[in-house]
Amino acid sequence: MLKTALKPRWIAGLVFALLLSGVFVLLSQWQLSRSAQHEPATPSSIEEVKPLVDVLKPGQFFPGSVEDQMVTATGSYDPGKQVLVEGRLYDNRKGYWIVTAFAVDNAPKLSGAAASPQTWIPVARGWVAEPDQAGPPPSGPLTLTGRLLASEAPLPNVDAGPGRASAVSVAELINKWDVSSYPGFVAATAESTPTGPVPANEAVKALNIPAQPPATQINWLNLFYSVEWVVFAGFALYIWWRMVADDYRRDLEGDEFDGDDFDDDFDDGGPHHNGEAHHSDEPAVQESQHSEPEHKVQP
């Protein structure tokens, strides 16, 4: 089989099959790269700061179209409604987010027996390394700017303890604070009072959370094509192997045919030699028959 595969024409065929398989593999990679597509960016930029009351409504589901939107709101913090969310990273260090309830001015009020007179929204004011570094929020009316984010899911079977929360979960926080709230929260980037910006606290680090990358969608048709090209690459090599195997079998059949001709020649010569042997024995038989009467006369 190896001797057949080393014939010049099959070596050239192998080179062609490898080149063809390489082209098919490149086409497979191209289709695979096209199978993962990012969602197109929305026409309006999420970095454009918009009023919170125009972007999101309380009492409704959080729409994905407004996530990561930069918003601004006026109102005031309630120092009695503040929790720490542990396990948050800042420069690869674990610490706490300071989350405080913010009463939003001019926000729609919810109706119902459990509704509060004001509508609130949780605000992640910053990050601290230790719990005792989290001071009270700025007092009085102020304007905050930050990124609007969807509510997180609370950790199951986790009791964070007094003054703590397992996550920035609106459902968990409104039960703690007993208030009506927006369905998301704001990661603050700036706070200012009517007299100017709120003085910075060295222990409290600003979050400055960037916008999340666009969601990736899978194009299953392109993914199928990528697998199909790989199959074609393997099939090209299989065709070459089958052609070599067929040539090898033809060589074997040719050798068997030559052996059958040799046996026929040997069989044709056999009767000729036997005839010559029979002819050579005739004088011996005649001689024995001729000598027999002489043996009987002697007694």
Side-chain angles (χ1 to χ4, degrees):
M1 184 72 174
L2 179 61
K3 184 178 179 180
T4 303
L6 292 178
K7 292 180 179 180
R9 60 174 176 173
W10 295 128
I11 293 177
L14 177 60
V15 173
F16 176 75
L18 291 175
L19 291 175
L20 191 62
S21 298
V23 173
F24 289 160
V25 170
L26 292 177
L27 289 173
S28 174
Q29 293 179 347
W30 175 69
Q31 290 288 355
L32 185 62
S33 65
R34 289 180 57 86
S35 65
Q37 297 179 349
H38 295 290
E39 292 182 352
T42 54
S44 59
S45 175
I46 58 176
E47 300 301 326
E48 180 185 351
V49 180
K50 299 180 180 180
L52 173 64
V53 293
D54 295 339
V55 172
L56 187 62
K57 303 298 180 183
Q60 299 178 355
F61 289 106
F62 189 91
S65 58
V66 301
E67 189 167 7
D68 291 334
Q69 177 66 51
M70 292 297 294
V71 296
T72 183
T74 58
S76 59
Y77 287 115
D78 186 343
K81 297 179 176 60
Q82 180 169 285
V83 295
L84 296 179
V85 181
E86 64 181 356
R88 302 297 163 143
L89 295 177
Y90 184 88
D91 288 342
N92 296 324
R93 293 186 299 162
K94 280 190 176 182
Y96 302 83
W97 275 7
I98 309 171
V99 181
T100 311
F102 185 82
V104 182
D105 293 343
N106 303 320
K109 295 180 175 60
L110 299 180
S111 59
S116 60
Q118 288 181 301
T119 301
W120 305 71
I121 188 169
V123 176
R125 297 194 297 112
W127 178 93
V128 291
E130 300 296 335
D132 55 4
Q133 294 176 336
S139 59
L142 55 85
T143 300
L144 67 86
T145 303
R147 194 173 299 279
L148 183 61
L149 301 173
S151 174
E152 298 177 349
L155 298 179
N157 303 321
V158 174
D159 184 8
R164 305 286 182 89
S166 63
V168 190
S169 169
V170 174
E172 183 179 2
L173 293 176
I174 61 176
N175 288 330
K176 286 180 177 290
W177 298 335
D178 194 20
V179 295
S180 302
S181 175
Y182 279 88
F185 71 98
V186 175
T189 57
E191 297 170 333
S192 62
T193 64
T195 58
V198 175
N201 186 341
E202 294 183 358
V204 180
K205 306 298 183 182
L207 298 181
N208 294 326
I209 298 176
Q212 299 300 309
T216 301
Q217 293 182 339
I218 300 298
N219 189 320
W220 294 105
L221 184 60
N222 291 106
L223 187 62
F224 171 77
Y225 286 154
S226 67
V227 175
E228 189 177 45
W229 283 118
V230 172
V231 174
F232 288 162
F235 189 70
L237 295 175
Y238 173 76
I239 290 296
W240 173 84
W241 177 82
R242 287 291 304 175
M243 295 176 69
V244 173
D246 291 342
D247 190 21
Y248 175 70
R249 281 193 292 269
R250 285 193 296 268
D251 291 342
L252 291 180
E253 291 173 356
D255 293 340
E256 292 176 357
F257 181 77
D258 294 341
D260 292 341
D261 291 344
F262 176 79
D263 292 341
D264 292 341
D265 293 339
F266 180 80
D267 292 340
D268 292 341
H272 176 72
H273 295 301
N274 290 338
E276 292 178 355
H278 179 71
H279 178 73
S280 63
D281 290 340
E282 289 180 358
V285 174
Q286 293 176 359
E287 182 179 357
S288 62
Q289 291 176 355
H290 179 72
S291 62
E292 184 177 355
E294 295 178 357
H295 180 70
K296 292 180 180 180
V297 173
Q298 291 180 357

